[in-house]
Amino acid sequence: MDFQTTPIQRDFYIEELFNSDSNSKYSLNFIFKLESSNALSIDQVRQSIVDVIQNQPIMSGIADIKDSNVIIRKGKLKNSVVEIETVQNSNIIFEDDSIFQHTFSLIDHQPLFRCKLIDKEGSLYILLAVHHFVFDFFSCKAWAQQIVNRIDGTQSSMKENAIMEENYTLEQFRERASNVKAQKILSNRFHGIKKISQNPFQRFEEQGYFNFNQNISLGNNLTKTQQSSLILSAFGLEYLNETNNDHMLIGVPVPNRTRHNKDIITSAVITFPVLISRKNNFVESYVSIKRQLLENLRLQFFDYTRYFPSYCSFPIMFTYYTSNYSMHSIKTTIKLEKYFTIDPPSPVHIMLDSQQNVFGKIDKRFFEEDYYVQSMKRLKEGIRYVL
């Protein structure tokens, strides 16, 4: 059975046609730990993982072209698709495992995920590398929950349900992709802006990334939208100061999920823009960003890149996600221990979790560590004004 693609899946394929190196930005890597009150058989766990993947037609699919359109064809799976390994080394670093060291290719008609089940001194870990084409962070929750349900024998999500949810998702995109209201909102957002700087100027020859991870105090009474707005105001204004530009765009994903497609494993997110202007002070920027983030959530299933191709390059990407990520069944729990990518999706990639940890990567070819230092200084000063 063939499936149509969502806008982001279409865009991933087109981007690879022009730049094969782009896949390094879209390889998502996850490390999970399994815990259970019952003794877990490694073969039983592997079979549970395979069953879940087989019931999700997109995750096991391969990209292809049909009638000049990008489609997803059903792939074939064997139990051996989930490797098994036993290690006795307590100092092993899972991030260095071979399954995380290679990118995927959409145009080679190969599987778009690799999975390994590791028994480390009696504890079971699942290592998953997957292309963003078939998996987004909202899929991660569904995938993890279905695995523990399958292990405990409480799995209710069947293949027919997954196909129904995928068809619902595609139907929503067909109906709302050209949303006239969304076009008007975004046109008004860009009104009067003659030029948006798409990329920062290159100043440094040094390669690699500066990794940052810092816990900050944003206040317990702030919503995640308010917290996100504080972060984006600080990093965005400092970016404009560093590059001497008047305006810039930060990309923020919108899930395109409802109660009708919350269990499908696919890639349905759309990255929408947040416009930041240098003329605004911190508080004005914060208020503007908060309004735009709330507007963006109302634009679900709008095909942004199709209607605004000139505003699709984001020097800063931002993602909010829930920390202490764990899914439970009757006796089994799966915890997300680590999430990382090979390369960041933009020169500056910022993530904020629900424990108010700010972390991510900055490409050293564009910025030095001082950019992050000054951004955090601006954030701490701005919090006092806002709160």
Side-chain angles (χ1 to χ4, degrees), residues 16-32:
E16 182 177 338
L17 291 177
F18 290 95
N19 177 19
S20 60
D21 293 334
S22 65
N23 287 308
S24 64
K25 301 184 296 183
Y26 306 127
S27 294
L28 311 181
N29 300 318
F30 302 88
I31 300 172
F32 300 92

Side-chain angles (χ1 to χ4, degrees), residues 228-242:
S228 301
S229 300
L230 288 169
I231 300 292
L232 297 186
S233 183
F235 278 82
L237 290 175
E238 188 57 33
Y239 170 92
L240 292 173
N241 180 63
E242 286 280 315

